[in-house]
Amino acid sequence: QVQLTESGGGLVQAGGSLRLSCAASGGVFINYAMAWFRQAPGKERELVAAISWSGGRTSYANSVKGRFTISRDNAKATVYLQMNKLKPEDTAVYLCAADMNSDPEPPLKHDYDYWGQGTQVTVYS
């Protein structure tokens, strides 16, 4: 059983930056592809960014390409989401997820195996 704990959310002005972290425990971190999702009120959950088990491949939603960067530190069992040039429409609860997957490409799906509780990101104009 993998436990995921997010941190780093908060309130930020449009144009600003935040860095989210997700610490994993209870499993072998390199066995898992990792991803960040977000969910805003009244909207469907959106896959924001995903990273393969090795960190060698990443994928991004079109809405965040060029602004967000996903990375992982396998020694620290932690995945990060660096968010720059934030916009009010980025406001959402951001959730970290893990999927047992050894493919070179990260899975682009919604039914990941394990989920964190989420951290709120609010961007004001």
Side-chain angles (χ1 to χ4, degrees), residues 2-7 21-24 34-37 45 93-98 112-119:
V2 175
Q3 292 82 44
L4 303 172
T5 304
E6 302 98 334
S7 61
S21 299
C22 171
M34 301 296 294
W36 288 95
F37 290 78
R45 186 170 292 183
V93 174
Y94 283 72
L95 303 106
C96 174
Y112 270 54
D113 295 326
Y114 300 99
W115 295 83
Q117 294 295 312
T119 185

Side-chain angles (χ1 to χ4, degrees), residues 23-40:
S25 62
V28 180
F29 191 64
I30 61 169
N31 286 345
Y32 295 89
M34 301 296 294
W36 288 95
F37 290 78
R38 67 186 180 187
Q39 188 153 24

Side-chain angles (χ1 to χ4, degrees), residues 9-10 12 14 26 28 30 43 45-47 50 52-53 58 69 72 74-75 77 92-93 99 113 115 125:
V12 63
V28 180
I30 61 169
K43 294 188 177 181
R45 186 170 292 183
E46 177 187 19
L47 175 59
S52 62
W53 67 272
T58 57
T69 303
R72 66 189 291 162
N74 286 342
V93 174
D99 191 79
D113 295 326
W115 295 83
S125 57

